[in-house]
Amino acid sequence: MNEESLPVPLPASAVAPDVSVVVIVYNDEARLPTAVRSVLEQTLRNVEVVIVDDRSTDGSYDVARRLAVEYPGRVRAFQLERNSGGCGAPRNHGIAQARGTYVLFLDSDDVLERNACRNMLEAAETTGADLVSGMCVRVHVDSRNGKEVKWYPWLYARTRTLESISELPDLLVFDTLSTNKCYRREFLVEQGLEFPVGIHYEDLLFSAQAYAAARRITLIPNRVYDWNVVDKAAAKSISNRRAEIANFAHRMEIHRRVDQLLADKGLLELKFYKDVKFLKHDLVLHLRDLPFRDASYREEFAAIARDYLESIDRAAFDEVEPIHAICAYLLQKSDWDNLLPAVDTLTNRDKISSTMVERDGRIYWCAEHLDGHRGGHRDDDPDGHRDGDFARHVLDVTELGYHAKPVEKMFLRNVLTGYEEEAAGTVRLAGHITNPLGVIPPGARLTGELEFAARRKGVRFQIFRFPVATLRHEGEAIAWEASADLARGLRPLGIVDAVWDVRLHLDVDGVRTTTRLTASEPGLVDGQLPVRPRLTRLVADHVTPEISSRGHLSFRIVTREKVEALVEKGVRGAPGRFAKSGYRKAKAVRRKLTSGDTKIRLYHEVFSRLPVKRGLVVFESHLGRQYSDSPKAIYEEMRRQGLDFEAVWSYTGSGPAGFPADATLVRRWSLPYLKALAQAEFWVDNQSYPLKLTKRPETTYIQTWHGSALKRMGFDEPEWKLRPRPEQAEQQRTLDRFDRFLIRSEHDVRTLARAFRLKERTLLRVGYPRNDALVQARRREEEVGLRERGALAAELGVADDKAVLLYAPTFRQHGGRQRRFELPFDVERFADTFGDRYVLLVRSHYLNHVVLPPSVRGRVIDVSAHHDVTPLLALADGLITDYSSVMFDYALLGRPMFFFAYDYEEYVHEGRGTYFDLLERAPGPVVRTEEELHTALASLDEQAVKYAEAREGFVAEFGEYDKGNAAQSIVDQFFAQWRRG
């Protein structure tokens, strides 16, 4: 250590600092002063800065010494005798030199929040914590909009004090930073806590040691540390140098040391949480890079990972997403043929990269390993048997529903197998498109085209396409070959459209699916191809292939070096500033014109001043998601009577498939939609048009609603009763738009009408138009003594000798982002038990979706995609539901009903509450378990007779106005004037 870096003793009269902030620096002379100033400007004044330079080769240490001279007593500077190559040694030296009661760590390229030291000191002194941790924020300094990302914010939602890290395993697992924490210095010294030296990822071990040793830990919700991230930095940080195999080796070694620490401290239960995080985060970071590495790197990577993966609790595989578990398992087996495609799906989450296999009615990622062979065991070896069981468990992807997707809904892997530059600027490409589960049949008619499109939004003036000359069905893949004459066919502008992405559109029997070209092997593509930019060839005249971070082929325009400097100068000069300013303004105008607030203003200030169009009716069902329900029944009655009117139906989602061809179709929230609503003479829907749109006095709003109420609604909901009066008033204004509200029983008057605070004159006691078909169906059955199933049974493939059961549950909040609804019974067991007697139709709520295993094909059918539930109700010989309002509709048919209320207490007491006790009033057996459900379903005829009287009473109470003529009654009352002639 240099002589001037020796510690300066405190004078006898001096007061020790409250906090010492250890600032470490290596070759960062430009940013060091900013980091130090963030400490000196803390609102807590009694803070010292301890700068430790890791033997920089630039002027960092000179800057540190100048700061020490400028701020005597507040800044001290030290330099290590030799460079340590990491953060551990300089931080350890800082701990040794610190004079404060508490210690913080700060990197020279980051800053402390102004109140960080005060907030952390107060928390430590108040709670007596050895360690205080606050919010870290990643600040992307080179992003256009100053992007900020909070570091695991759920850990810091409130102030809390832990007596042991065991109380919050997520803290140890996720927040492994050392820099957003304040440590009692005596605690560090007593426990002998130091950073490991000579190994990367030192924070992981140090923070784990501190968590495990701390007698008390306090978390505060305050921002304390700004972690400055330069995304486009020329030199990557140590943790981001994943191309170096040593980087991964260091990470694994740190993980082993943390595991040993947890074992030594008797905290083995925390290792499970750490294993889960390793599978879904730490390992994933390196797996995503594997396609870009050569074979030798991959083998060494697998060898390092294999031993550690053996130590992972197998139960942890159940806590991560299936693709995470699949990748970890295949890596452990060094199965590169299946692993690299799986990594493609890991990186591109919707991509289907495996052909998969069906075994015993289940779908598996691959066929290998299912019998334990590829794990090094024989079938007759018990260990091999267990490995086969685990493989089947991990590789089972049935629940992901790949088998239920049509080809047009699939994002298929298209791996590039050939890339060759030919004369005159032509590139010859070849590839294989994955054919999962044979979704593309051998006899399918195949056509395709390559598409080149500029990546940058707003400059896609043209898209260039080239035909795919060869397409061959090869069983598990579709092989293709194509040539693209880029010299003649690709005409970029040349400056603003620098990168061009390539896609292959594959048409299968007239249905299109789009793929990206995946380059799975390094070094496959290289070279340059001539192009003719539209602006000038002085700018650029070649493109070169490159692989995106997601592994997809693209082409980048190569700018001429001499012109590049001129372009750069122009961009930085006045013309460039003007152009960029104009571009930003144009983007801002576009955002503003398409924003929700602008659309609402257009509706009120422009469209609502247009004249109301007589005969214009806007229909909507379930917020535009369906062509269904009572709006559909009213619309079809109007068409049946031949009324002269203009119909507009709203739709949302992927498109208007299934909506009527004889109506104008508009996307919900589009400008044509808003214009139609503003000019309509009638609104007809079953839920609600956008809440912020005021209905014009000349427009009549017929609200059909979508079912009688079991659960509490509107202002009867506890949540609404607690909302502020202004919010309640705003909600009431939207409800007051209803001019007519359809009622099917006095129960609706006591519940829905009261909950929505509707006036008596609004109520229309005519029943639900959607139920006309059900009432009429029962009437026909009673008249002729025979049921006719109709075309729907044939469409679904229901045999004449099978009874039909419909399972239609209510909406479930859980299910994650995909809102997947897991059936509360074993559907395969159900099919095996009842498949010879019943066909089960499953219709999830329109906000949920369900996935059925292929083993139940023909015996259990997912009918959730059917817009309208009424035909399904009419087809069913019996209904299974829980709390769905379909119970009130199905009762009109007089057929058996079964109530599977497996979570009744939770639904009633933890949810909104209900208007009546279903256990007492249900017109059919209420069962709680799968066994009870099976027992109840043993005989439909028995249930039909046993609950016949209860069903009639149920209909009398909840469907008294459903007489089979609701649609006709509404047409007669509101639309009769439009009858022709």
Side-chain angles (χ1 to χ4, degrees), residues 562-635:
K562 292 182 179 180
V563 177
E564 191 169 327
L566 295 174
V567 172
E568 181 70 16
K569 182 179 180 180
V571 168
R572 291 185 177 180
R577 287 195 298 271
F578 178 78
K580 287 191 287 186
S581 173
Y583 178 68
R584 285 194 294 266
K585 287 178 181 177
K587 285 184 66 177
V589 169
R590 183 179 180 184
R591 281 197 303 269
K592 188 173 181 180
L593 287 175
T594 57
S595 70
D597 290 341
T598 299
K599 287 181 176 180
I600 292 170
R601 286 187 60 192
L602 281 170
Y603 172 84
H604 288 108
E605 298 177 13
V606 179
F607 297 149
S608 292
R609 295 180 180 179
L610 298 173
V612 169
K613 295 177 68 173
R614 297 302 173 190
L616 175 59
V617 186
V618 179
F619 297 88
E620 186 171 285
S621 178
H622 293 302
L623 308 178
R625 292 183 177 91
Q626 298 176 352
Y627 173 59
S628 67
D629 212 81
S630 293
K632 173 187 175 183
I634 294 172
Y635 171 75

Side-chain angles (χ1 to χ4, degrees), residues 245 248-249 252 256 290 295-310 331-334 336:
I245 194 66
F248 183 63
M252 291 298 94
R256 291 188 186 93
L290 278 185
S296 61
Y297 179 98
R298 293 172 186 170
E299 291 299 335
E300 191 172 355
F301 178 87
I304 294 170
R306 193 176 296 118
D307 289 341
Y308 189 76
L309 286 169
E310 288 288 351
L331 174 63
Q332 196 171 350
K333 299 298 179 184
S334 294
W336 301 108

Side-chain angles (χ1 to χ4, degrees), residues 889-959:
D889 305 316
Y890 191 78
L892 297 168
L893 291 164
R895 301 173 193 166
M897 303 167 67
F898 306 85
F899 298 86
F900 190 20
Y902 57 92
D903 57 352
Y904 186 74
E905 282 74 19
E906 176 186 348
Y907 185 84
V908 171
H909 301 301
E910 297 181 18
R912 303 179 188 172
T914 59
Y915 286 115
F916 62 87
D917 189 345
L918 181 65
L919 302 181
E920 296 179 359
R921 309 278 284 282
V926 180
V927 297
R928 301 296 194 91
T929 67
E930 188 172 347
E931 297 297 334
E932 292 176 352
L933 177 63
H934 281 212
T935 300
L937 292 173
S939 172
L940 284 181
D941 294 338
E942 180 183 334
Q943 299 297 340
V945 174
K946 183 177 180 180
Y947 287 92
E949 185 176 343
R951 287 195 300 273
E952 293 305 319
F954 197 76
V955 171
E957 181 172 3
F958 298 109

